[in-house]
Amino acid sequence: MSGNQWGPYQPGQAPVPPAQQQPPQGQYGGQPWQPGAAPYAGPPPQGYGAPPPGGPQFGWGAGGPQPPKKKGSGGKVLLVLLGVVVVGVVGLFGISNVLKHNSSSSYTSPTYTSSYSPTYSQTVEPSPTNGTTTKAPTLPTVTKPTAPRTTSTPKVKPGPTDSDLVTKNRIYRAGAVSSVGCRESRSRPSNTAGARANYRNLLGCLNRTWATPVARAGGQFRGPTVRMFTGTITSPCGSMSDSGPPFYCGSNETIYMNLTEDIGNYNRYSQSYQKVWARMWMLHQFAHEYGHHVQNLTGILAANHRMRYERTSSAKELEDTRRLELQASCFSDVFIGANRRTYPITGQSLFQWRWLIGNVTDYNNDHGDAVNHKFWATRGYNARNPSACNTFTASSGRVK
């Protein structure tokens, strides 16, 4: 199977004796996975670029002051020392030119930008005024550069795996679902207008119920579109006939409700309890399909689809499908349980709800048998918390 089209069970047609106060035996039929759905593509991992160039700036300073010239001491001494003076003047002239060049105001110091720069200090001590010799300039001292520090590229934390998305999803930590005071529509699904009024009412209730948990789970909440159909309808997930049950298509986030089925169930039997059963059945189916929408918004639906694609046996693939379907029913009854006082689920409505969740038949082995369906539906109803619906960590026996 492939795709992302989901449907619950299909009610049967055979009535039972009115004295039993039970509706007809339900059929929990499987829904095909339609091929051609695009796999989920998450956001690409965030990359890290090289840091921008830069660093401290270092300049070059001017040289020290020029030493003063010494005065002569006499004629004889001057003649004797003439040769020495000439040599000295030439030497001093050379030194003076060097020093003047170093101290020229028109000289522009170069500027360097680097990841590291050595520091140079250059000093020339002045000659003493009462001495007879000139001290040679001190050679510049050089500080050895320190090797630049290297920084390691930060590691990118991998995203959640498909297994994480279904077993550790944040929807399980979203907390209990609060009642939104949902009340059943006063219209009865005996015709198109009555069914539409019920669908519209349930859509508003479910949107208000699940908006906060989905946001707490990190999802971006969007209410689904609801379409009614009779005959054959074409969706991005494929074509479906009203001989089958309603379904949810994740590609366009739309719930497709089978108008032929819901109106037919309500009008088929004249007993009042049968009509209550038809209303409870419609409630549970609509909320079940909405449960698939919650799975879609939180990443469970797409992750489960990818996991099934990787399975090497049809048995494991069917088990993955049952986990998904049983969770959708559990989510359905989280909503019903949270609003049990106002809808209300009491008296005959409670009796019919209890009967229908425990009387389903999984002909295709892809939705879960009656025992397990009742188990997960009851857990959701009593807990009113998505944490009770983690079917993906349950044993294989609990999702048969």
Side-chain angles (χ1 to χ4, degrees):
M1 293 182 182
S2 61
N4 58 355
Q5 177 169 292
W6 306 94
Y9 24 77
Q10 173 72 13
Q13 306 297 329
V16 296
Q20 295 181 14
Q21 294 294 290
Q22 293 178 347
Q25 178 70 28
Q27 175 185 344
Y28 198 36
Q31 288 303 296
W33 291 74
Q34 298 297 326
Y40 173 80
Q46 187 177 15
Y48 291 86
Q57 295 179 343
F58 294 89
W60 295 85
Q66 179 181 350
K69 295 180 181 180
K70 293 183 291 182
K71 297 180 180 180
S73 59
K76 291 182 179 181
V77 176
L78 180 62
L79 291 175
V80 173
L81 297 178
L82 180 61
V84 177
V85 172
V86 170
V87 174
V89 168
V90 172
L92 290 176
F93 179 80
I95 294 174
S96 175
N97 280 341
V98 171
L99 295 179
K100 284 181 181 179
H101 174 74
N102 285 342
S103 61
S104 173
S105 59
S106 63
Y107 181 74
T108 303
S109 300
T111 300
Y112 295 90
T113 300
S114 175
S115 58
Y116 74 95
S117 294
T119 301
Y120 295 92
S121 60
Q122 180 177 350
T123 58
V124 179
E125 295 181 4
S127 299
T129 56
N130 56 354
T132 59
T133 60
T134 301
K135 209 170 198 179
T138 304
L139 293 175
T141 58
V142 178
T143 302
K144 291 183 179 181
T146 303
R149 296 181 61 185
T150 59
T151 57
S152 59
T153 303
K155 296 181 179 179
V156 179
K157 186 177 180 180
T161 63
D162 288 334
S163 178
D164 290 337
L165 285 172
V166 299
T167 62
K168 302 176 183 179
N169 200 281
R170 290 171 60 184
I171 192 67
Y172 307 136
R173 304 192 302 272
V177 169
S178 302
S179 171
V180 294
C182 184
R183 298 182 182 275
E184 185 179 10
S185 171
R186 293 183 179 181
S187 299
R188 294 295 177 252
S190 59
N191 52 39
T192 300
R196 181 185 291 110
N198 276 272
Y199 300 153
R200 184 184 298 113
N201 177 64
L202 285 172
L203 178 62
C205 290
L206 284 156
N207 283 344
R208 295 195 304 274
T209 296
W210 285 107
T212 297
V214 168
R216 287 176 180 171
Q220 183 178 2
F221 180 79
R222 301 175 299 276
T225 301
V226 177
R227 292 190 62 184
M228 305 180 299
F229 71 97
T230 58
T232 300
I233 189 168
T234 301
S235 76
C237 296
S239 298
M240 288 293 292
S241 168
D242 61 5
S243 60
F247 61 97
Y248 174 78
C249 181
S251 298
N252 61 351
E253 298 183 353
T254 298
I255 294 173
Y256 293 84
M257 292 303 295
N258 188 335
L259 194 63
T260 303
E261 176 184 287
D262 287 335
I263 294 176
N265 285 341
Y266 189 82
N267 292 331
R268 184 171 294 115
Y269 308 105
S270 59
Q271 300 96 329
S272 61
Y273 72 90
Q274 296 280 24
K275 294 186 181 300
V276 173
W277 169 82
R279 286 155 44 203
M280 291 299 102
W281 188 265
M282 181 177 62
L283 163 67
H284 196 276
Q285 284 192 313
F286 193 100
H288 173 101
E289 299 309 326
Y290 200 103
H292 286 309
H293 183 62
V294 173
Q295 291 171 328
N296 193 27
L297 295 179
T298 54
I300 294 174
L301 192 66
N304 179 265
H305 175 64
R306 291 191 295 267
M307 290 173 64
R308 289 186 320 99
Y309 181 80
E310 297 295 331
R311 295 300 189 190
T312 57
S313 70
S314 59
K316 292 300 293 183
E317 185 177 339
L318 284 171
E319 182 177 305
D320 287 342
T321 305
R322 292 194 299 272
R323 292 181 188 276
L324 192 79
E325 293 292 344
L326 289 170
Q327 183 179 78
S329 282
C330 186
F331 284 167
S332 169
D333 292 292
V334 165
F335 160 74
I336 294 172
N339 293 276
R340 70 182 79 180
R341 297 188 183 279
T342 57
Y343 199 78
I345 309 297
T346 58
Q348 188 64 217
S349 295
L350 179 59
F351 179 85
Q352 298 299 342
W353 172 81
R354 285 175 175 168
W355 191 89
L356 70 88
I357 65 170
N359 288 271
V360 295
T361 304
D362 185 13
Y363 290 114
N364 295 329
N365 196 28
D366 60 356
H367 279 66
D369 61 24
V371 173
N372 282 310
H373 184 267
K374 183 176 182 179
F375 172 82
W376 290 105
T378 303
R379 274 176 66 93
Y381 181 86
N382 291 335
R384 290 164 281 177
N385 193 317
S387 64
C389 301
N390 192 349
T391 57
F392 294 96
T393 57
S395 66
S396 296
R398 186 45 74 190
V399 293
K400 285 184 178 179

